[in-house]
Amino acid sequence: MSTTRSQLPRPPREDLLIAAAGLVGGVAMWALGLFNNPRPPLGGGWVLLPLAVMAMAEALRRTAPSAALAFGAVALAGDLVTRSLLATIVMFSDVVYAAVLYGGPRLSRAVPPASAALTAAVTVGTLAAVRDPQALLVGFVCGLVTVGPAWTGVIVRDHRNAAAAERLRAEQTALLAEMDRVQAVTAERSRMARELHDVVAGHLSAIAIHATAAQSLDDRAATGDALAVIRENSVQGLAEMRRLIGLLRTAGGDEEVSAAPTLDGLEALLAHARRHGAAGGLSFALRDERSGDPLPAPVELAAYRIAQESLTNALKHASPGEVTVALTSSGGEGEGDGGGEGALTITVTSPCDRRPGPRAPGSGAGLVGMRERAELLGGAFGAGPVEAAGGTRWEVRAVLPLGESARNAADGGSGGDGTRRRGGA
């Protein structure tokens, strides 16, 4: 029994006040003799019974609108066969309004046409019974009591549904905006991590290699040379860090584009590698077999960074021998300006035998960054040992598409994980 009671919703305080006000008003009308039907079938105090039932229906108008409408219809029928009180009729119109507004979808759809049909039936029946045009007033009153509240409830319910839909749409828009913001922040953090790694990894790797060599040598002159190299790379690394921090602090994007390195700087990159690799027996060569067409800026930046990271790994891990950087382009005409599809292939090979002497440790982040740069452009990346005529060599190969597909991939792509790797800064 207690479970059943707990499942019944308690009427809101406002509904109880409305029911009490209607009941008190009806009793006051009965006491003053204000009736609507001068010659009812039932006289006396019978009119108070429909009033009490209608007041109960008013109390249930929001918690049980279907039951309230049923009780209200019975109470209205009883009121019409008694002396009839205006308070009972007014409360019934409010019950009809509440049934449309707070009832379920089926009830709210059924009440307006049912009220219209009831009004039409009452009008036609009254005309047929009394054969007097004044009977149309009965139909008007019936429509005022039923059709008017029903369609008012429809209008208010539609406005509430529209407002709820707009709130839901606003919440969904806010959620999507937050998801986009999180994705944008994550993508920017990844881009900053790649850029920071590529900017300073080469200098720090050279510092680590020469510091390790200085610790293992007793020659004072060689130690001095190593310290000079360490100082040079420290200064250059700090300069690169300051440049990157300055770019991050600027609000616009023009500075970043103008400061981005291009493939024209490969010769300077190789010259820097030759200075640090000569002590380890490394030589460096560049084979540029590209066409003369300009490359899209994202492709050129990615190719430069891949070459830079590959040369850094070669300085850290390669055996004595020649390190080769090869650039080739393929595809239809117009690939350079983005009008057609083509590809830029960058291949860096280095000796892969075991290297004697000191080497710098690596975490593998370099290969991950190179793969992400290639996949952001919709390209392909691979790194691993290959068999060649002169022995086993380590090959880094990236294929970067040109044209509109590269720009689209750079705008909306996402990075991936590296596969087989040999190390990296």
Side-chain angles (χ1 to χ4, degrees), residues 139-372:
F140 175 76
V141 173
C142 182
L144 192 64
V145 173
T146 58
V147 178
W151 286 103
T152 303
V154 169
I155 294 173
V156 175
R157 185 179 182 120
D158 288 343
H159 280 291
R160 288 189 175 183
N161 291 339
E166 289 299 327
R167 284 195 299 269
L168 179 60
R169 188 178 295 109
E171 292 174 358
Q172 292 175 345
T173 302
L175 179 60
L176 291 176
E178 178 64 17
M179 293 175 61
D180 290 341
R181 187 192 68 80
V182 172
Q183 291 177 356
V185 170
T186 302
E188 184 64 15
R189 287 167 63 94
S190 299
R191 187 190 70 82
M192 290 169 57
R194 285 193 303 270
E195 197 69 18
L196 180 62
H197 175 275
D198 293 341
V199 164
V200 302
H203 298 298
L204 293 180
S205 297
I207 291 173
I209 292 173
H210 287 278
T212 305
Q215 289 179 341
S216 61
L217 295 176
D218 294 332
D219 189 352
R220 191 176 186 85
T223 302
D225 294 338
L227 292 176
V229 173
I230 291 173
R231 182 184 182 282
E232 176 189 356
N233 281 275
S234 300
V235 172
Q236 293 179 358
L238 287 173
E240 292 286 349
M241 284 288 294
R242 292 191 189 99
R243 182 186 67 84
L244 182 58
I245 292 173
L247 291 177
L248 293 176
R249 285 179 174 174
T250 55
D254 295 338
E255 294 84 351
E256 183 177 357
V257 175
S258 61
T262 64
L263 291 179
D264 294 336
L266 278 183
E267 285 292 351
L269 197 62
L270 287 173
H272 180 270
R274 290 188 186 101
R275 289 200 305 270
H276 299 296
L282 292 174
S283 62
F284 296 85
L286 173 64
R287 295 204 312 268
D288 191 350
E289 300 176 358
R290 297 175 293 153
S291 62
D293 296 329
L295 299 174
V299 174
E300 196 156 5
L301 175 61
Y304 180 90
R305 292 304 189 194
I306 290 174
Q308 182 183 37
E309 179 61 26
S310 300
L311 292 176
T312 299
N313 284 347
L315 287 173
K316 292 167 59 177
H317 303 290
S319 303
E322 184 180 66
V323 179
T324 304
V325 180
L327 298 174
T328 59
S329 59
S330 62
E333 295 183 359
E335 64 187 12
D337 57 2
E341 292 299 328
L344 172 70
T345 302
I346 176 170
T347 306
V348 182
T349 59
S350 57
C352 193
D353 296 331
R354 182 170 181 81
R355 171 180 174 172
R359 64 171 60 201
S363 63
L367 288 178
V368 173
M370 288 189 287
R371 179 176 294 278
E372 287 179 348

Side-chain angles (χ1 to χ4, degrees), residues 371-386:
R371 179 176 294 278
E372 287 179 348
R373 288 187 182 275
E375 292 184 352
L376 280 171
L377 296 173
F381 176 83
V386 295

